[in-house]
Structures are given as C-alpha cells and as structure tokens.
Amino acid sequence: MRAEFREYRRAFRRPLMTAHGVWSERRGILVKLTDAAGRTGYGEIAPLPWFGSETLEAAIALCQSLPEFLDLADIRAIAPTLPAGQFGLESAWDSLMQHDPRKSDLPDWEPPHLSALLPAGEGAISAWKPLWDRGHRTFKQKIGVGELAAEQAAFAELVGQLPPRARLRLDANGGLDWDTACRWLEQCAVHPQVEFLEQPLAPSQFDAMLKLAERFPTSLALDESVATLAQLRTCWQRGWRGVVVIKAAIAGFPSQLRAFCQQHPVDIVWSSALETAVARRYIQAHLVQPENSGNRPDRALGYGVAHWFCDPAFEQDSAAALWQTLTASAIA
Ligand SMILES: [Mg+2]
C-alpha cells in the first residue's frame, strides 16, 4: 500500500514546564496508508525525545527511508529505537485493515474520566477551579520544576482548596533525588487526595523507587521508566506492581502492548504524549478497553490536556480533515 507523511506543528497556549525543561511547540507526523482498493488508514507519529522516544528528525528520516509502496513486513521491521514510528505505522495499518465503524464512532471521553493537567507551582492555584467546573475531578501537577519550598507551599495551598473528593497526581518526571522524594512523600502522606506520585526518581534508580514505594503510604507510579513496552516488561519482571503510566503513542507496536496488557494485570493509567486526535482515537478504540485486565475504572485517563492548545481542530476533526489541512507540509 501507498504510504504518505505530513508534518504538523501545534503551539502550546503557554509553554509546558517539566523537570526536563520548557516545551513550547508540539511537532509530529500524520501517516496515511492507501491500498489498491482505495481504502485508507491514518496514523500518527508523535515523538517525545526527552521522554526516551526517537527525535522528530529520526522519525522524519524513517518516513523518508520507507518505500513509497510498503507492506506489513516493512512496518514490522521498524527498529525498536523508533517506538513512535512503530506506533504510527502499525496503527495506520490496523486502522485500514480492521476498520470497524463501531470503534471509530466511539464518543470522545468526558471530563470526569480525564485527569486535567495543571500548571506547575503557584499557577495551579488559579487553574484548577475552571477545570473542576467543566467536570474534571482528577488533576495532575508537575513538580521538581522550581524550588522545593516554593513548590511545597503551592502544593499545600492547592490541596487546601481542592474539594475532599478531588484527586491529585504529582508528577516529578524523574527530577527528584532520594531526600526530596522523601520530603514530598512525607507531605503527601497527610493528604489523602493525592492519588499517586509519578516517577519521583530517574529510571536508573529503579531499586530506590521500590524502596520508596514500601516506605510511604502514597502510591507511586512509573512513567519514564516504562516509556516503551520493552521497559514495561523489564519493570514488571523486576517486581513492580504499582501504577504504570502508559503513553501508548510512544510505546512501540500497539499490537504487542495490547497483548502484554491482556496477559498481565498491570495497574495502568493511559496517558497522553500530547498527540492529536488521530493517535488518541486509535488508543481509545484499541487499547483502553475493559478486556485489558489492569484497566481500573477509578483511574482517570491522563488525557485532560486539550486546554493546553489553542487549535481545537487537532482535537476534534477527523483524520481525513486534518490531513487536508497539512498539504503544504508533505514529507517527500
Ligand atoms: Mg509523567
């Protein structure tokens, strides 16, 4: 089938601050496959290099290296070093081959099921209420971005304002050390609204995170540590039974991720890699399914991020409509 690629760019309303630095623009690639019968399937390559996936440049090079007319063997041969590319191409193939109108007609997720991403630090204090009024009940805040005392003061004010039934996730993006992680977990212990602390330490400190998980009552979640299916498998084998945050758009071949999740009772929070509706709808239809044994209905999905962008078309339009808007940015 014929493969075509177009690049997209989306500016954030305001730059997203994480322990990895400042991020101001989301760039990625839409994939279109067309078979001899004229059927089409769309996919999306949304790299997150600071999170462990390939760079956009490497993804573009992959697109340029693939034959214009490709088959499944070409897709399955995409290297594990290109997990966003594996996802984008296999999901496009899957969408074309197994086109299921019932699945593509799934309604978009409603706010109560989505964890809404708040700004780091003090910015969260004025940001949570409008999102609560829109129906969000779970929130997420980045920590490890600024100075510890200021962040903990902002956190204390935020949890003081949040209604008791709200839930708050803290995400350190691996930016803490043992001592600061303990300081955060001591503070979290007296706030039952905290659902979990996400990736307190760098992925290399896996054993220390196991110890932290035993020492404090607040749950820990791995995210950077399980960026790809291969890493998820390793952490599972090494004994991690806590929460895992899965960004399916950068995790590799979705068929393999789906199989792993069906075979292991993993406590998963499905989460956005700040991809567009093209990858999100595929993930919703093909991965976030009750038959995946670990999907707990009380875990909000990490997809409450639309308010970070100012171009709703990328959240709402069909893949075919989005594709049409990108004619000028074809990757040759
Ligand atoms: Mg995270």
Side-chain angles (χ1 to χ4, degrees):
M1 52 192 63
R2 179 161 185 237
E4 298 169 90
F5 306 95
R6 291 179 182 174
E7 194 188 330
Y8 69 81
R9 308 170 81 116
R10 310 178 66 190
F12 290 111
R13 245 177 231 284
R14 59 167 135 174
L16 186 58
M17 315 258 278
T18 78
H20 299 282
V22 179
W23 191 18
S24 55
E25 184 186 53
R26 199 328 152 219
R27 295 172 67 188
I29 300 165
L30 293 194
V31 179
K32 181 183 182 185
L33 299 180
T34 310
D35 72 2
R39 293 182 302 169
T40 55
Y42 293 91
E44 176 177 354
I45 305 174
L48 217 52
W50 48 269
F51 207 90
S53 91
E54 69 270 45
T55 61
L56 181 74
E57 291 69 29
I60 290 172
L62 166 70
C63 299
Q64 291 167 332
S65 73
L66 287 167
E68 186 185 352
F69 292 88
L70 50 70
D71 56 27
L72 189 56
D74 296 308
I75 294 173
R76 292 278 156 80
I78 296 172
T81 50
L82 300 163
Q86 290 182 332
F87 173 87
L89 269 295
E90 197 193 54
S91 60
W93 176 276
D94 216 14
S95 299
L96 190 156
M97 299 304 288
Q98 302 185 21
H99 183 66
D100 180 343
R102 283 171 304 134
K103 285 194 164 178
S104 51
D105 286 347
L106 285 176
D108 277 347
W109 287 313
E110 294 294 323
H113 303 119
L114 300 178
S115 165
L117 181 60
L118 300 172
E122 282 190 330
I125 293 161
S126 57
W128 73 269
K129 187 64 168 54
L131 292 160
W132 175 274
D133 292 341
R134 266 185 253 165
H136 291 284
R137 295 296 175 263
T138 302
F139 301 93
K140 172 161 161 172
Q141 185 179 35
K142 299 289 187 184
I143 62 168
V145 176
E147 201 249 322
L148 178 69
E151 283 193 345
Q152 290 206 316
F155 164 79
E157 191 170 346
L158 177 64
V159 279
Q161 288 185 10
L162 288 175
R165 66 193 176 96
R167 302 184 98 185
L168 180 63
R169 300 169 175 177
L170 296 179
D171 187 3
N173 286 110
L176 306 180
D177 57 24
W178 176 267
D179 290 334
T180 48
C182 289
R183 303 260 302 270
W184 274 109
L185 286 165
E186 282 157 13
Q187 203 179 9
C188 290
V190 296
H191 294 291
Q193 292 139 308
V194 178
E195 184 182 6
F196 52 72
L197 170 61
E198 193 170 316
Q199 195 74 39
L201 309 177
S204 60
Q205 298 181 61
F206 178 82
D207 292 331
M209 283 189 283
L210 277 179
K211 272 191 207 133
L212 280 178
E214 282 170 17
R215 188 172 293 200
F216 294 96
T218 304
S219 298
L220 297 188
L222 296 184
D223 190 3
E224 277 85 343
S225 290
V226 292
T228 63
L229 174 58
Q231 291 169 302
L232 172 60
R233 207 173 259 139
T234 302
C235 289
W236 181 265
Q237 284 163 356
R238 291 178 71 183
W240 186 264
R241 294 296 178 270
V243 182
V244 293
V245 178
I246 303 291
K247 293 172 166 47
I250 58 164
F253 291 121
S255 59
Q256 295 179 10
L257 179 60
R258 188 164 49 235
F260 184 87
C261 296
Q262 285 167 355
Q263 289 155 10
H264 302 83
V266 193
D267 187 351
I268 299 176
V269 171
W270 297 97
S271 187
S272 170
L274 286 306
E275 64 269 39
T276 76
V278 176
R280 174 173 51 78
R281 289 191 187 118
Y282 177 85
I283 292 164
Q284 181 180 9
H286 296 273
L287 288 162
V288 187
Q289 295 292 311
E291 66 263 26
N292 290 347
S293 50
N295 288 344
R296 280 176 39 171
D298 59 327
R299 295 264 187 236
L301 299 156
Y303 274 89
V305 292
H307 57 285
W308 281 83
F309 293 103
C310 33
D311 44 15
F314 280 95
E315 303 294 333
Q316 294 159 9
D317 286 8
S318 69
L322 276 179
W323 180 261
Q324 285 308 320
T325 66
L326 300 172
T327 35
S329 54
I331 296 170

mmCIF file of all heavy atoms in Angstrom, residues 3 5 31 33 43-45 62-63 66 70 75 78 84-94:
data_model
loop_
_atom_site.group_PDB
_atom_site.id
_atom_site.type_symbol
_atom_site.label_atom_id
_atom_site.label_comp_id
_atom_site.label_asym_id
_atom_site.label_seq_id
_atom_site.Cartn_x
_atom_site.Cartn_y
_atom_site.Cartn_z
ATOM 1 N N ALA A 3 2.255 4.773 1.108
ATOM 2 C CA ALA A 3 2.450 5.493 2.374
ATOM 3 C C ALA A 3 2.773 6.955 2.084
ATOM 4 O O ALA A 3 3.608 7.258 1.235
ATOM 5 C CB ALA A 3 3.595 4.865 3.164
ATOM 6 N N PHE A 5 3.260 10.927 4.201
ATOM 7 C CA PHE A 5 3.523 11.521 5.520
ATOM 8 C C PHE A 5 3.428 13.037 5.439
ATOM 9 O O PHE A 5 3.918 13.641 4.483
ATOM 10 C CB PHE A 5 4.931 11.128 5.995
ATOM 11 C CG PHE A 5 5.174 9.646 5.991
ATOM 12 C CD1 PHE A 5 5.790 9.029 4.909
ATOM 13 C CD2 PHE A 5 4.760 8.862 7.062
ATOM 14 C CE1 PHE A 5 6.003 7.661 4.891
ATOM 15 C CE2 PHE A 5 4.972 7.491 7.055
ATOM 16 C CZ PHE A 5 5.597 6.889 5.959
ATOM 17 N N VAL A 31 0.370 9.984 9.274
ATOM 18 C CA VAL A 31 0.657 8.919 8.317
ATOM 19 C C VAL A 31 -0.646 8.584 7.600
ATOM 20 O O VAL A 31 -1.693 8.477 8.241
ATOM 21 C CB VAL A 31 1.139 7.649 9.065
ATOM 22 C CG1 VAL A 31 1.423 6.519 8.088
ATOM 23 C CG2 VAL A 31 2.333 7.948 9.950
ATOM 24 N N LEU A 33 -2.068 5.679 4.839
ATOM 25 C CA LEU A 33 -1.857 4.498 4.001
ATOM 26 C C LEU A 33 -3.078 4.319 3.103
ATOM 27 O O LEU A 33 -4.215 4.498 3.558
ATOM 28 C CB LEU A 33 -1.671 3.241 4.866
ATOM 29 C CG LEU A 33 -0.475 3.237 5.840
ATOM 30 C CD1 LEU A 33 -0.440 1.923 6.616
ATOM 31 C CD2 LEU A 33 0.843 3.459 5.099
ATOM 32 N N GLY A 43 -2.524 7.252 10.736
ATOM 33 C CA GLY A 43 -1.803 7.043 11.986
ATOM 34 C C GLY A 43 -1.053 8.315 12.347
ATOM 35 O O GLY A 43 -1.060 9.286 11.581
ATOM 36 N N GLU A 44 -0.416 8.288 13.490
ATOM 37 C CA GLU A 44 0.304 9.477 13.935
ATOM 38 C C GLU A 44 1.611 9.077 14.614
ATOM 39 O O GLU A 44 1.628 8.182 15.462
ATOM 40 C CB GLU A 44 -0.556 10.266 14.934
ATOM 41 C CG GLU A 44 0.175 11.475 15.503
ATOM 42 C CD GLU A 44 -0.699 12.306 16.448
ATOM 43 O OE1 GLU A 44 -1.908 12.006 16.563
ATOM 44 O OE2 GLU A 44 -0.152 13.226 17.065
ATOM 45 N N ILE A 45 2.671 9.773 14.229
ATOM 46 C CA ILE A 45 3.974 9.620 14.891
ATOM 47 C C ILE A 45 4.186 10.878 15.719
ATOM 48 O O ILE A 45 4.325 11.967 15.174
ATOM 49 C CB ILE A 45 5.103 9.460 13.855
ATOM 50 C CG1 ILE A 45 4.813 8.289 12.898
ATOM 51 C CG2 ILE A 45 6.447 9.254 14.568
ATOM 52 C CD1 ILE A 45 5.823 8.161 11.756
ATOM 53 N N LEU A 62 12.935 8.140 9.156
ATOM 54 C CA LEU A 62 12.242 6.848 8.976
ATOM 55 C C LEU A 62 11.236 6.950 7.831
ATOM 56 O O LEU A 62 11.203 6.080 6.939
ATOM 57 C CB LEU A 62 11.519 6.451 10.269
ATOM 58 C CG LEU A 62 10.490 5.324 10.121
ATOM 59 C CD1 LEU A 62 11.193 3.988 9.859
ATOM 60 C CD2 LEU A 62 9.594 5.213 11.358
ATOM 61 N N CYS A 63 10.432 8.002 7.837
ATOM 62 C CA CYS A 63 9.418 8.167 6.789
ATOM 63 C C CYS A 63 10.073 8.214 5.412
ATOM 64 O O CYS A 63 9.574 7.638 4.440
ATOM 65 C CB CYS A 63 8.615 9.450 7.020
ATOM 66 S SG CYS A 63 7.725 9.461 8.586
ATOM 67 N N LEU A 66 11.335 4.641 4.244
ATOM 68 C CA LEU A 66 10.375 3.577 3.916
ATOM 69 C C LEU A 66 10.026 3.637 2.433
ATOM 70 O O LEU A 66 9.982 4.724 1.848
ATOM 71 C CB LEU A 66 9.099 3.749 4.751
ATOM 72 C CG LEU A 66 9.216 3.393 6.237
ATOM 73 C CD1 LEU A 66 8.002 3.895 7.007
ATOM 74 C CD2 LEU A 66 9.376 1.885 6.431
ATOM 75 N N LEU A 70 4.487 0.052 0.606
ATOM 76 C CA LEU A 70 5.045 -0.833 1.633
ATOM 77 C C LEU A 70 4.042 -1.905 2.024
ATOM 78 O O LEU A 70 2.851 -1.830 1.691
ATOM 79 C CB LEU A 70 5.514 -0.026 2.843
ATOM 80 C CG LEU A 70 4.596 1.005 3.497
ATOM 81 C CD1 LEU A 70 3.437 0.353 4.234
ATOM 82 C CD2 LEU A 70 5.392 1.864 4.472
ATOM 83 N N ILE A 75 6.692 -2.578 7.947
ATOM 84 C CA ILE A 75 6.301 -1.937 9.213
ATOM 85 C C ILE A 75 6.884 -2.714 10.392
ATOM 86 O O ILE A 75 7.482 -2.140 11.305
ATOM 87 C CB ILE A 75 4.759 -1.840 9.305
ATOM 88 C CG1 ILE A 75 4.240 -0.871 8.226
ATOM 89 C CG2 ILE A 75 4.323 -1.407 10.699
ATOM 90 C CD1 ILE A 75 2.735 -0.811 8.097
ATOM 91 N N ILE A 78 10.465 -2.002 11.489
ATOM 92 C CA ILE A 78 10.893 -0.718 12.066
ATOM 93 C C ILE A 78 11.608 -0.999 13.391
ATOM 94 O O ILE A 78 11.109 -1.747 14.241
ATOM 95 C CB ILE A 78 9.691 0.231 12.274
ATOM 96 C CG1 ILE A 78 9.073 0.579 10.910
ATOM 97 C CG2 ILE A 78 10.118 1.500 13.017
ATOM 98 C CD1 ILE A 78 7.763 1.342 11.020
ATOM 99 N N ALA A 84 7.887 5.581 18.468
ATOM 100 C CA ALA A 84 6.762 6.388 17.991
ATOM 101 C C ALA A 84 6.454 6.050 16.533
ATOM 102 O O ALA A 84 5.292 6.036 16.113
ATOM 103 C CB ALA A 84 7.065 7.874 18.161
ATOM 104 N N GLY A 85 7.506 5.743 15.770
ATOM 105 C CA GLY A 85 7.318 5.312 14.387
ATOM 106 C C GLY A 85 6.628 3.960 14.308
ATOM 107 O O GLY A 85 5.739 3.741 13.478
ATOM 108 N N GLN A 86 7.010 3.041 15.191
ATOM 109 C CA GLN A 86 6.335 1.734 15.233
ATOM 110 C C GLN A 86 4.839 1.921 15.491
ATOM 111 O O GLN A 86 3.997 1.318 14.836
ATOM 112 C CB GLN A 86 6.936 0.868 16.348
ATOM 113 C CG GLN A 86 8.348 0.382 16.071
ATOM 114 C CD GLN A 86 8.871 -0.522 17.190
ATOM 115 O OE1 GLN A 86 8.468 -0.413 18.346
ATOM 116 N NE2 GLN A 86 9.794 -1.418 16.841
ATOM 117 N N PHE A 87 4.538 2.802 16.471
ATOM 118 C CA PHE A 87 3.126 3.044 16.788
ATOM 119 C C PHE A 87 2.389 3.661 15.593
ATOM 120 O O PHE A 87 1.304 3.212 15.216
ATOM 121 C CB PHE A 87 2.990 3.961 18.011
ATOM 122 C CG PHE A 87 1.564 4.360 18.271
ATOM 123 C CD1 PHE A 87 0.732 3.568 19.045
ATOM 124 C CD2 PHE A 87 1.030 5.512 17.691
ATOM 125 C CE1 PHE A 87 -0.595 3.910 19.248
ATOM 126 C CE2 PHE A 87 -0.303 5.865 17.884
ATOM 127 C CZ PHE A 87 -1.123 5.065 18.668
ATOM 128 N N GLY A 88 2.986 4.699 15.007
ATOM 129 C CA GLY A 88 2.294 5.439 13.945
ATOM 130 C C GLY A 88 1.992 4.584 12.729
ATOM 131 O O GLY A 88 0.892 4.632 12.173
ATOM 132 N N LEU A 89 2.962 3.779 12.325
ATOM 133 C CA LEU A 89 2.765 2.972 11.125
ATOM 134 C C LEU A 89 1.842 1.790 11.384
ATOM 135 O O LEU A 89 0.945 1.502 10.591
ATOM 136 C CB LEU A 89 4.126 2.485 10.598
ATOM 137 C CG LEU A 89 4.863 3.358 9.569
ATOM 138 C CD1 LEU A 89 4.084 3.448 8.268
ATOM 139 C CD2 LEU A 89 5.157 4.753 10.076
ATOM 140 N N GLU A 90 2.040 1.092 12.530
ATOM 141 C CA GLU A 90 1.188 -0.076 12.757
ATOM 142 C C GLU A 90 -0.257 0.342 13.017
ATOM 143 O O GLU A 90 -1.202 -0.333 12.583
ATOM 144 C CB GLU A 90 1.693 -0.944 13.915
ATOM 145 C CG GLU A 90 1.053 -2.324 13.870
ATOM 146 C CD GLU A 90 1.250 -3.156 15.138
ATOM 147 O OE1 GLU A 90 0.923 -2.665 16.234
ATOM 148 O OE2 GLU A 90 1.720 -4.295 15.016
ATOM 149 N N SER A 91 -0.449 1.481 13.702
ATOM 150 C CA SER A 91 -1.822 1.917 13.955
ATOM 151 C C SER A 91 -2.506 2.337 12.652
ATOM 152 O O SER A 91 -3.705 2.093 12.465
ATOM 153 C CB SER A 91 -1.860 3.039 14.998
ATOM 154 O OG SER A 91 -1.123 4.158 14.583
ATOM 155 N N ALA A 92 -1.751 2.930 11.725
ATOM 156 C CA ALA A 92 -2.330 3.289 10.419
ATOM 157 C C ALA A 92 -2.725 2.012 9.662
ATOM 158 O O ALA A 92 -3.812 1.928 9.071
ATOM 159 C CB ALA A 92 -1.327 4.109 9.614
ATOM 160 N N TRP A 93 -1.843 1.033 9.718
ATOM 161 C CA TRP A 93 -2.120 -0.263 9.058
ATOM 162 C C TRP A 93 -3.377 -0.913 9.663
ATOM 163 O O TRP A 93 -4.286 -1.349 8.952
ATOM 164 C CB TRP A 93 -0.911 -1.174 9.234
ATOM 165 C CG TRP A 93 -1.108 -2.555 8.698
ATOM 166 C CD1 TRP A 93 -1.702 -3.610 9.316
ATOM 167 C CD2 TRP A 93 -0.722 -3.016 7.401
ATOM 168 N NE1 TRP A 93 -1.711 -4.707 8.511
ATOM 169 C CE2 TRP A 93 -1.116 -4.378 7.321
ATOM 170 C CE3 TRP A 93 -0.081 -2.431 6.318
ATOM 171 C CZ2 TRP A 93 -0.888 -5.147 6.181
ATOM 172 C CZ3 TRP A 93 0.150 -3.215 5.187
ATOM 173 C CH2 TRP A 93 -0.256 -4.542 5.124
ATOM 174 N N ASP A 94 -3.399 -0.948 10.968
ATOM 175 C CA ASP A 94 -4.510 -1.533 11.710
ATOM 176 C C ASP A 94 -5.820 -0.821 11.369
ATOM 177 O O ASP A 94 -6.853 -1.459 11.145
ATOM 178 C CB ASP A 94 -4.198 -1.320 13.205
ATOM 179 C CG ASP A 94 -4.643 -2.465 14.061
ATOM 180 O OD1 ASP A 94 -4.946 -3.526 13.508
ATOM 181 O OD2 ASP A 94 -4.675 -2.286 15.294
#
